[in-house]
Amino acid sequence: MAVSDGVVKKIILSYTYVAIWIFLSFTVIVYNKYILDRKMYNWPYPISLTMIHMAFCSSLAYLLVRVFKLVEPVSMSRDLYFKSVVPIGALYSLSLWFSNSAYIYLSVSFIQMLKALMPVAVYSIGVMFKKETFKNETMANMVSISLGVAIAAYGEAKFDAWGVTLQLLAVAFEATRLVLIQILLNSKGISLNPITSLYYIAPCCLVFLSVPWIIMEYPSLRDNSSFHLDFAIFGTNSACAFALNLAVFLLVGKTSALTMNVAGVVKDWLLIAFSWSVIKDTVTPINLIGYGLAFLGVAYYNHCKLQALKASEAQKKAQQADEEAGRLLEQKDGEGTARKNDNQN
């Protein structure tokens, strides 16, 4: 009965972590759309919004790591920081900049449909950097996802080429960042959780974003004398962004990254429904057919990842069993040899 209660408790906690992550991710996306959209809050400054997020998150991450010491910092040399963390920070800043910019031009629902291309981008870039093995079956799956997104784009009522370009660039930069994390950090035995990631990477983002901000947005903000920073709006928005990183930390730490990928599919459908019913974005039947096809491709991709993970775990257990059997055999041989020597003596 105790085992049964423990299993039920674990399942309830897992679903709770998933629900918290979905709620916060949902909130941040809709909140960003509200701030940036010209028909809503009308503050179309995506670089500034991203910099506010990075400043807020890096400050809290510093407090958690250095002041309250709730999270252990990672041992990292200056050379490793500049060769590994800085390039990742540059890609992250570009990904956030372009992703937030897309909210000005595209609906929330269509952006979620375009984000379905993330597995395609990660796999393709992984093959380019030789971190993934090219397989015809996997590539066929990637083609089906791409075809579904293309159909959804064809059926989009308010298609904006510039907005689509921005979102596709955001996907490409984010996918490259994820692959580089494997190459530059994970391969060297360095693992960054969301808090240490913000601690090391958010300041880099601030530095990189300051250049386009000074050129593109600062002159407009400076001349807009009527604008005053609403601390309630931007403070709660930044707090939600930071809370989302904590939720990622909990979800991945207590379950797995694969669970987050599966939960992300649920979140996308919820966002599409919310965008259609509340924000009143137009979602056409062709949109849904295309995204449905892409959804099936993403679901199959996650299924294959799960099977590969199970096979890897089974192989590790088999190796551990073989090693244990080998040690027991050596121990018995040693005992037999010792008894033989005793008898001879």
Side-chain angles (χ1 to χ4, degrees):
M1 190 67 184
V3 174
S4 178
D5 290 342
V7 170
V8 170
K9 183 179 179 182
K10 186 176 181 180
I11 292 172
I12 292 173
L13 282 174
S14 296
Y15 277 105
T16 301
Y17 295 137
V18 168
I20 291 171
W21 178 79
I22 288 177
F23 172 76
L24 288 170
S25 181
F26 187 102
T27 301
V28 169
I29 289 170
V30 173
Y31 211 158
N32 287 352
K33 172 67 175 177
Y34 167 75
I35 291 173
L36 293 165
D37 197 298
R38 297 181 190 277
K39 297 177 182 178
M40 298 183 191
Y41 189 75
N42 191 25
W43 200 70
Y45 299 105
I47 304 176
S48 301
L49 182 63
T50 307
M51 290 181 71
I52 290 171
H53 286 174
M54 290 297 100
F56 185 89
C57 291
S58 59
S59 299
L60 283 185
Y62 179 84
L63 290 174
L64 290 175
V65 173
R66 290 297 182 187
V67 179
F68 299 111
K69 301 186 185 299
L70 296 177
V71 181
E72 285 292 324
V74 176
S75 178
M76 188 181 304
S77 66
R78 179 172 295 184
D79 182 63
L80 179 64
Y81 181 82
F82 281 103
K83 288 184 178 179
S84 300
V85 175
V86 170
I88 292 169
L91 289 168
Y92 192 40
S93 64
L94 291 169
S95 171
L96 291 172
W97 170 16
F98 292 135
S99 179
N100 283 333
S101 297
Y103 286 111
I104 300 174
Y105 306 97
L106 303 176
S107 67
V108 170
S109 58
F110 187 41
I111 285 175
Q112 300 314 121
M113 294 177 190
L114 292 174
K115 284 182 179 180
L117 287 170
M118 184 60 73
V120 180
V122 171
Y123 178 73
S124 302
I125 295 169
V127 169
M128 288 172 55
F129 283 96
K130 298 182 179 178
K131 295 300 292 182
E132 294 276 0
T133 304
F134 180 86
K135 296 178 182 177
N136 290 330
E137 182 184 2
T138 306
M139 185 51 70
N141 185 25
M142 298 299 107
V143 171
S144 71
I145 295 172
S146 302
L147 179 62
V149 174
I151 293 172
Y154 177 77
E156 176 61 19
K158 297 179 181 178
F159 184 90
D160 187 286
W162 178 238
V164 171
T165 301
L166 288 170
Q167 185 55 50
L168 293 180
L169 285 172
V171 168
F173 284 124
E174 178 63 10
T176 307
R177 182 183 77 90
L178 294 174
V179 173
L180 282 187
I181 286 175
Q182 295 181 36
I183 297 172
L184 299 177
L185 293 178
N186 294 351
S187 62
K188 298 174 183 176
I190 296 174
S191 179
L192 298 179
N193 63 51
I195 305 302
T196 51
S197 292
L198 289 174
Y199 175 75
Y200 289 107
I201 293 173
C204 291
C205 292
L206 276 174
V207 172
F208 283 113
L209 289 170
S210 64
V211 177
W213 179 75
I214 290 172
I215 297 170
M216 300 174 65
E217 293 187 2
Y218 174 69
S220 177
L221 286 168
R222 180 191 58 201
D223 296 339
N224 188 1
S225 58
S226 62
F227 172 74
H228 298 286
L229 192 67
D230 189 329
F231 288 99
I233 291 290
F234 292 98
T236 53
N237 179 246
S238 299
C240 288
F242 185 78
L244 177 59
N245 281 278
L246 289 177
V248 171
F249 181 44
L250 278 174
L251 183 60
V252 176
K254 301 297 182 180
T255 57
S256 68
L258 187 62
T259 302
M260 191 175 76
N261 289 341
V262 175
V265 174
V266 177
K267 178 205 67 180
D268 290 343
W269 280 110
L270 289 173
L271 277 166
I272 290 170
F274 180 86
S275 177
W276 170 73
S277 61
V278 178
I279 304 178
K280 303 301 180 183
D281 287 333
T282 303
V283 179
T284 67
I286 297 178
N287 275 148
L288 294 177
I289 291 170
Y291 184 66
L293 178 60
F295 162 75
L296 292 175
V298 172
Y300 181 72
Y301 174 79
N302 288 330
H303 171 73
C304 291
K305 284 286 186 181
L306 179 60
Q307 296 304 314
L309 185 62
K310 287 181 178 179
S312 177
E313 289 178 352
Q315 186 177 9
K316 285 181 182 178
K317 288 181 180 178
Q319 287 176 349
Q320 289 173 355
D322 290 341
E323 289 173 1
E324 184 65 25
R327 283 195 295 270
L328 289 172
L329 188 61
E330 288 176 3
Q331 185 178 355
K332 287 181 179 179
D333 289 343
E335 290 174 355
T337 303
R339 280 197 297 268
K340 185 182 290 186
N341 292 334
D342 290 340
N343 291 333
Q344 289 176 351
N345 293 332

